Amino acid sequence: MNTLELTGLTVRPSQVWGGIRLVPLVRAEPVAGLRLHREIYRGFGGSVVDTGPRTQYTSYIPHGFVADWSTVRTPDGSGGQRAAYGTQLGVGDSGALARPPVTAALPRHRGTHHRMAKRLPGDRLRFLPLHLALEGYLSLHFGGPSVAWEEWSRQALRDGLSPRAEDAYTGRSVRGLDDALRVFEIHPGQCGVMVYAADALAAAFVLPHPDDYRLLHSSLVEDLYGELVHQYALYGGPVPEFGARIADSARMGTLAGLRAAARAQEQEWSRAHDALFARELLDTAYSFDRVHRMGPFTLWRFLPPFDRSGGGRHIGETITGPQGQVAYLKTFRLSDAQIRRGHLLNTLAAADWQLARAAVTLGSTEEELVRRIRAAGFGELLKDREQRNKPR
């Protein structure tokens, strides 16, 4: 279990549009040796991804990211190539969706369009941003019961949690996000942003180079966001803007004093942001799953502990450098119901799927645990208890 450390990234004062708060993340120097660009997919319907034997993932997937570590880099990290390319939109931009798309892990069928991560010619890797993390959550204990206890149905023992589905909303359905991304200027050196809805952290997005970020900034409206984020943006009121308040009138006498006081306010905001706003993301210990090595870089996806200690929980994916610094990051905030489902699945798996043992761990009765399993949407895994308890 490890935490996320955004070493080399500096927080700038937030930008507010209604209930949406954008917090820019700036690098003093780009991450040398890595660039990311976007690969657009024509047609914006559901896409199918081959994730393993007899298993596929289906979702709305507008684009992929290509990580390129192929060229010898110059000191500014550009490697003599263009900052990013291939970012124009294809025909058929869908705009806002009337309903949340469904992300799901499904049994194998025809029509595979993509793979989660695929090595390309040269030192390049194409992967599906955010969906890599979502597939990791959906596949959590996907195989189902590991022991044929009498409580579980034949379907549970045969198919496990297939199909497994969750709902999400596109960024165009998150009220105010499109306008906020369009209106605010991008800072010099900006390589990332943290997105808040009603001051709840909705997503973090980090790239290795400011030119990459400049061209991928607007792609945030095509990402998926959880139900909680959608509700906070829709029903939450406007949030307060950042404002520097200089109480020391002695500093107002010179331009240098005023500049120093303003910088002190920015630093105070940065400390407050990390300690309060982003604490739930940065102070959580995650379990990391390595997806692919890319020369000196490594692509990971991660899951939170699914504990019930309160606060938001985030899944995500990251590319780290030789010293473990974050070069790329994208996160997804889970809803309370999704956290409960993850906690329930982890508890069942730790108890070898024996209901009595799992109930003791949760401090409840077996009957209450059965109720929780059904409420979580996993009722089809269970045998009908009345039928099972009939005398033979």
Side-chain angles (χ1 to χ4, degrees):
M1 302 284 279
N2 295 286
T3 58
L4 289 169
E5 296 184 7
L6 301 184
T7 305
L9 288 161
T10 303
V11 172
R12 289 288 184 260
S14 64
Q15 303 159 329
V16 170
W17 183 270
I20 299 296
R21 185 187 300 274
L22 304 181
V23 177
L25 301 175
V26 174
R27 294 189 193 275
E29 296 291 338
V31 176
L34 181 69
R35 301 300 298 276
L36 265 74
H37 71 267
R38 183 164 57 165
E39 180 180 86
I40 302 299
Y41 299 139
R42 301 281 177 172
F44 285 78
S47 297
V48 181
V49 183
D50 187 2
T51 59
R54 300 181 60 195
T55 305
Q56 290 182 337
Y57 168 96
T58 302
S59 183
Y60 163 79
I61 303 176
H63 56 251
F65 282 176
V66 176
D68 185 349
W69 66 102
S70 62
T71 60
V72 177
R73 305 297 171 180
T74 56
D76 68 353
S78 67
Q81 64 183 21
R82 296 289 181 182
Y85 51 93
T87 58
Q88 68 275 12
L89 287 174
V91 176
D93 188 359
S94 64
L97 298 185
R99 296 182 179 179
V102 175
T103 58
L106 299 172
R108 180 184 296 275
H109 57 83
R110 294 182 180 179
T112 298
H113 298 165
H114 309 291
R115 291 170 58 187
M116 282 293 174
K118 180 180 180 180
R119 184 70 178 261
L120 300 178
D123 289 335
R124 298 187 301 151
L125 179 78
R126 196 271 291 129
F127 63 96
L128 302 181
L130 197 57
H131 299 279
L132 190 69
L134 288 167
E135 192 267 336
Y137 172 72
L138 286 168
S139 62
L140 184 67
H141 307 299
F142 185 69
S146 55
V147 179
W149 304 109
E150 64 175 1
E151 292 90 349
W152 304 109
S153 66
R154 290 183 180 180
Q155 177 182 335
L157 299 173
R158 182 183 66 248
D159 299 329
L161 293 170
S162 180
R164 171 92 163 84
E166 297 286 348
D167 289 344
Y169 292 81
T170 64
R172 296 186 189 278
S173 299
V174 176
R175 183 179 180 181
L177 178 59
D178 195 356
D179 289 334
L181 293 170
R182 176 174 50 82
V183 167
F184 292 120
E185 295 182 0
I186 297 175
H187 284 249
Q190 184 170 349
C191 289
V193 68
M194 287 193 174
V195 180
Y196 295 84
D199 276 345
L201 180 59
F205 182 40
V206 173
L207 289 167
H209 196 285
D211 290 341
D212 298 342
Y213 180 81
R214 184 172 293 276
L215 291 176
L216 296 176
H217 171 80
S218 62
S219 70
L220 285 161
V221 299
E222 296 171 350
D223 282 342
L224 298 180
Y225 297 84
E227 180 182 10
L228 193 66
V229 173
H230 177 267
Q231 291 177 350
Y232 281 179
L234 184 61
Y235 299 115
V239 295
E241 297 186 31
F242 167 81
R245 294 175 177 85
I246 303 173
D248 186 0
S249 60
R251 294 191 177 188
M252 301 292 286
T254 65
L255 184 60
L258 183 62
R259 183 182 296 112
R263 286 177 177 171
Q265 285 287 298
E266 288 186 354
Q267 292 171 359
E268 183 176 342
W269 155 255
S270 179
R271 289 191 294 269
H273 172 266
D274 292 348
L276 298 175
F277 286 81
R279 180 178 179 180
E280 66 188 37
L281 177 69
L282 301 179
D283 288 356
T284 299
Y286 299 93
S287 58
F288 285 80
D289 176 29
R290 189 177 69 197
V291 177
H292 199 89
R293 286 192 181 277
M294 307 182 300
F297 299 97
T298 306
L299 174 63
W300 310 82
R301 64 184 175 192
F302 55 87
L303 293 172
F306 296 111
D307 55 31
R308 305 300 299 277
S309 61
R313 289 289 179 261
H314 302 257
I315 61 175
E317 64 215 20
T318 183
I319 297 176
T320 57
Q323 283 75 46
Q325 72 273 30
V326 170
Y328 160 80
L329 175 68
K330 188 175 279 290
T331 67
F332 177 93
R333 184 189 183 104
L334 297 172
S335 68
D336 291 342
Q338 289 168 331
I339 296 170
R340 289 195 296 269
R341 283 194 282 274
H343 178 64
L344 180 60
L345 289 174
N346 277 348
T347 302
L348 288 169
D352 289 331
W353 295 83
Q354 189 174 2
L355 291 184
R357 287 178 56 189
V360 171
T361 301
L362 293 170
S364 68
T365 64
E366 188 173 338
E367 287 70 24
E368 174 63 16
L369 176 56
V370 168
R371 187 198 66 78
R372 291 175 63 173
I373 291 173
R374 295 190 188 282
F378 302 140
E380 293 184 358
L381 297 178
L382 295 164
K383 284 183 180 178
D384 184 79
R385 293 178 68 81
E386 294 181 0
Q387 182 69 29
R388 181 165 62 86
N389 292 331
K390 284 183 177 180
R392 298 178 181 178

